[in-house]
Amino acid sequence: MRIFAIGRNYAEHIKELNNERPDEPVIFTKPDTALLRNNAPFYYPDFSKDVHYEGELVLRICKEGKNIEEKFAHKYYDAIGIGVDFTARDLQQKAKDKGLPWDIAKGFNGSAPISDKFIPVSAFGDLKNINFSLQVDGETKQQGNTSLMLFSFDYIILYLSRFFTLKTGDLIFTGTPKGVGPVKVGNVLSAYVEQEKLLEFEVR
Ligand code: MG
């Protein structure tokens, strides 16, 4: 199982971090040791002083494939969950300044809490109009809608599968909307797809 992630997929989030709007999806990966399931707590790492939450919809791959055409892409994912792409923003900024890879800023242990429950794709009326949100201590910090994505689910599948063979069980973070911010010890994060809470965990 691999965890892929798309950076800079929502215009308003690109603006808040003063990033450039990409011509193609920005891809990075997290190792499987980043995964947190079962609403397990996230332990604040000692190597960062600025860990940010990024609430994101997560696709689950259901079929192996590479060089997938956009018109067939929908056959390769069968369910959508929600996760937090934790980012050590201070380490990421250092890496960006030097043009170095983001791995330690994005892929550290526990940096990918993901809901246990995934909603079957067939349960959604329109994949281009899915609402999702992230709350910190009960206050809504991020509200996204898939209509605002620069690159659609199907285009993400096309693009990723040019470089990586996708395998059953792989997970793809599809990018965060605006409103990212720091977490601190004691925060409780909860994440919703439409009105349903799929993920809730504590920062320790
Ligand atoms: Mg992200």
Side-chain angles (χ1 to χ4, degrees):
M1 189 278 299
R2 278 119 2 117
I3 305 169
F4 297 101
I6 311 301
R8 305 180 191 174
N9 202 19
Y10 286 84
E12 294 293 320
H13 169 63
I14 294 170
K15 270 194 225 161
E16 74 184 347
L17 292 187
N18 290 317
N19 284 322
E20 235 172 79
R21 193 180 167 122
D23 299 325
E24 294 285 13
V26 174
I27 306 294
F28 58 94
T29 63
K30 292 176 184 255
D32 57 4
T33 46
L35 192 60
L36 276 188
R37 287 321 259 285
N38 304 313
N39 290 330
F42 170 75
Y43 287 94
Y44 202 105
D46 60 7
F47 47 74
S48 174
K49 294 197 163 19
D50 196 24
V51 174
H52 280 205
Y53 56 80
E54 295 187 359
E56 308 193 9
L57 292 177
V58 178
L59 298 181
R60 187 177 72 196
I61 297 296
C62 60
K63 184 173 161 169
E64 182 166 320
K66 59 181 172 182
N67 294 316
I68 299 163
E69 287 180 56
E70 195 166 1
K71 66 180 173 195
F72 299 127
H74 65 276
K75 300 179 180 217
Y76 289 82
Y77 56 94
D78 65 350
I80 297 170
I82 195 158
V84 177
D85 166 21
F86 272 124
T87 305
R89 198 68 76 200
D90 43 0
L91 299 187
Q92 188 194 30
Q93 194 54 51
K94 244 191 218 173
K96 275 186 189 172
D97 291 345
K98 295 183 180 167
L100 294 172
W102 298 352
D103 296 48
I104 59 170
K106 286 283 199 182
F108 58 86
N109 289 336
S111 61
I114 295 180
S115 59
D116 288 322
K117 180 172 174 182
F118 273 61
I119 300 171
V121 164
S122 57
F124 293 96
D126 180 1
L127 294 185
K128 294 197 159 121
N129 184 20
I130 301 174
N131 291 298
F132 61 104
S133 62
L134 183 95
Q135 296 186 354
V136 178
D137 296 337
E139 189 187 330
T140 301
K141 298 285 193 183
Q142 291 188 282
Q143 268 182 313
N145 183 287
T146 52
S147 64
L148 301 171
M149 296 199 306
L150 301 182
F151 303 106
S152 68
F153 294 152
D154 289 354
Y155 190 80
I156 289 169
I157 297 293
L158 170 153
Y159 188 76
L160 263 179
S161 73
R162 269 192 218 160
F163 306 98
F164 304 100
T165 300
L166 300 179
K167 291 184 175 176
T168 301
D170 286 348
L171 299 169
I172 305 172
F173 278 88
T174 58
T176 199
K178 71 172 174 187
V180 302
V183 290
K184 53 180 199 284
V185 172
N187 284 157
V188 174
L189 275 64
S190 31
Y192 295 74
V193 175
E194 297 296 345
Q195 303 308 317
E196 187 177 0
K197 190 197 294 181
L198 295 186
L199 178 66
E200 182 166 74
F201 63 92
E202 192 187 344
V203 180
R204 286 192 190 157

